[in-house]
Amino acid sequence: MDVPTLGVEEEFLLAAPDDGRPMPVADEVLGKVGRLADGAAVHRELRATQVEHATGVCTTAAQLRDQLCRGRLALSRAATDAGCAILATGSPVGPLRSPAEPLPPDRYARIDAHYGDLAADYEACGCHVHVGVPDPDTAVAVVNHLARWLPTLLALSANSPFDRGRDTGLHSWRMALQTRFPGSGLTPHARSHAEHSRLVDSLVECGALVDREQTFWLAWPSPRYPTVELRVADVPLTVDSALVQAVLSRGLVATALADLERGIEAAPLDPQIGSAAVWAATRHGLTGALVDPVRERPLPAAEAVADLLRHAGPALRAAGDHDLAHRLVQAVLRDGTGSAAQRKAGPDGVVAMLAARTVPRVTSLQTGTRGQ
């Protein structure tokens, strides 16, 4: 079994170290980062209170871990120089940001104008995993196979219980915010890349999307790279949390590729049951029942995670990721997701906790054994 390539994009909030208030200083922070190695890069995001680190193309989990660590460290140093901190949280935990400077007349400004107040307070931070695939039609067929497992990946990643100091009662407020937009949730089943492209074009023509490079679907064929892009996860609290999303995503894609080689296509899911599965993960994370959108029934979160590991097991072994994935998943099941850590820290301690756990210790670069 061929092992696909990997790449990860992580979005971070720029916030005041004392109270977590979002700070619109992205351009200043990015200007201080400097050049990164191995094809990695940093970018601005929709809001001037956000920055993104994108790794280069990786072939092993160890290589990816190293790049994730280096990216977080570089952004943290630059943020400190700019008088703020980077926080790995799916939604802001501090007070409402001060009015940001006007956006330049670019694509982000068009998004603001297009969606109005839906986008005005959108400072959600996610994690995107790119996994290499051979061609666009295969990418669409892989996305069909992934749909069943995306809610479980969301539950494992849940890291946004707060909205500016208020406990929302959800584990992924980011996902709740994202589902306000048209064209969100599980990707509609398509029989070819041409059919997928026609749907995207129609959504743009109907005004649901700004352009062909925008989508709120949780996985899709990347319009820029020869990859499937999984966009389901909240930005993970730690490097280890990001790594588990990446290796599980690759395992699921590789499993789908193997099924397709045997002529096994994924059947369409019921859209309403799929929405219910996304909602259950959004609401409960790993603390309640999830929904299996194929069997169309609820099941304990630990059982859903075990099903995913079992399904992707051969691919994880082929990539050398099996033991790592099981160790990291068991740690999440034991200790809880980022949302649980945020609630444990509480409103008074969450900013300090996020600032401390977002940035890995330097020793993780030397040993490759820890990601926080």
Side-chain angles (χ1 to χ4, degrees), residues 87-92 123-126 159-160 162 173-174 177 234-235 342:
L87 304 183
T89 177
S91 57
E123 293 174 287
C125 295
N159 186 32
S160 51
F162 294 120
W173 182 243
R174 164 190 159 268
L177 292 175
D234 286 359
V235 63
Q342 289 200 38

Side-chain angles (χ1 to χ4, degrees), residues 15-307:
D18 54 349
D19 64 359
R21 180 182 70 259
M23 295 178 61
V25 292
D27 289 341
E28 182 179 356
V29 170
L30 295 176
K32 294 177 181 294
V33 170
R35 186 176 179 85
L36 300 177
D38 301 317
V42 290
H43 310 283
R44 61 165 293 169
E45 263 299 319
L46 176 62
R47 303 262 74 89
T49 55
Q50 298 170 287
V51 290
E52 176 187 86
H53 169 252
T55 72
V57 178
C58 300
T59 56
T60 68
Q63 182 185 11
L64 179 63
R65 183 200 292 274
D66 184 68
Q67 290 202 30
L68 290 170
C69 287
R70 292 183 186 278
R72 289 189 179 212
L73 284 166
L75 281 172
S76 176
R77 292 173 185 136
T80 299
D81 288 344
C84 64
I86 62 164
L87 304 183
T89 177
S91 57
V93 296
L96 185 68
R97 61 184 163 89
S98 302
E101 296 180 7
L103 289 169
D106 61 6
R107 182 170 181 268
Y108 293 125
R110 289 194 291 116
I111 291 172
D112 264 8
H114 193 81
Y115 292 111
D117 279 359
L118 280 183
D121 64 346
Y122 191 73
E123 293 174 287
C125 295
C127 172
H128 300 175
V129 180
H130 287 264
V131 184
V133 291
D135 59 77
D137 281 328
T138 300
V140 169
V142 167
V143 170
N144 292 338
H145 275 278
L146 293 177
R148 175 181 187 175
W149 308 105
L150 296 176
T152 304
L153 289 177
L154 172 61
L156 280 165
S157 80
N159 186 32
S160 51
F162 294 120
D163 177 38
R164 299 177 175 88
R166 174 180 66 92
D167 192 326
T168 65
L170 278 62
H171 280 256
S172 178
W173 182 243
R174 164 190 159 268
M175 186 54 59
L177 292 175
Q178 189 169 308
T179 55
R180 302 184 304 185
F181 293 91
S184 60
L186 298 181
T187 313
H189 192 280
R191 290 165 293 184
S192 66
H193 192 263
E195 182 177 320
H196 168 84
S197 295
R198 285 194 296 271
L199 176 57
V200 174
D201 288 341
S202 295
L203 289 172
V204 173
E205 182 180 2
C206 292
L209 301 178
V210 168
D211 55 39
R212 297 194 82 260
E213 290 198 2
Q214 182 192 37
T215 180
F216 298 99
W217 290 326
L218 303 186
W220 75 325
S222 171
R224 294 180 293 161
Y225 307 113
T227 65
V228 165
E229 182 180 7
L230 291 86
R231 308 157 57 89
V232 64
D234 286 359
V235 63
L237 176 57
T238 66
V239 167
D240 273 354
S241 303
L243 196 63
V244 74
Q245 281 289 318
V247 297
L248 291 179
S249 296
R250 176 163 68 176
L252 290 171
V253 170
T255 301
L257 290 171
D259 283 343
L260 291 169
E261 286 182 0
R262 294 194 296 269
I264 302 172
E265 299 279 350
L269 301 177
D270 183 289
Q272 292 301 309
I273 301 299
S275 295
V278 173
W279 160 247
T282 299
R283 174 66 177 87
H284 301 297
L286 295 177
T287 67
L290 299 179
V291 173
D292 185 324
V294 170
R295 289 179 282 180
E296 299 188 352
R297 67 174 182 85
L299 71 169
E303 184 178 334
V305 173
D307 285 348

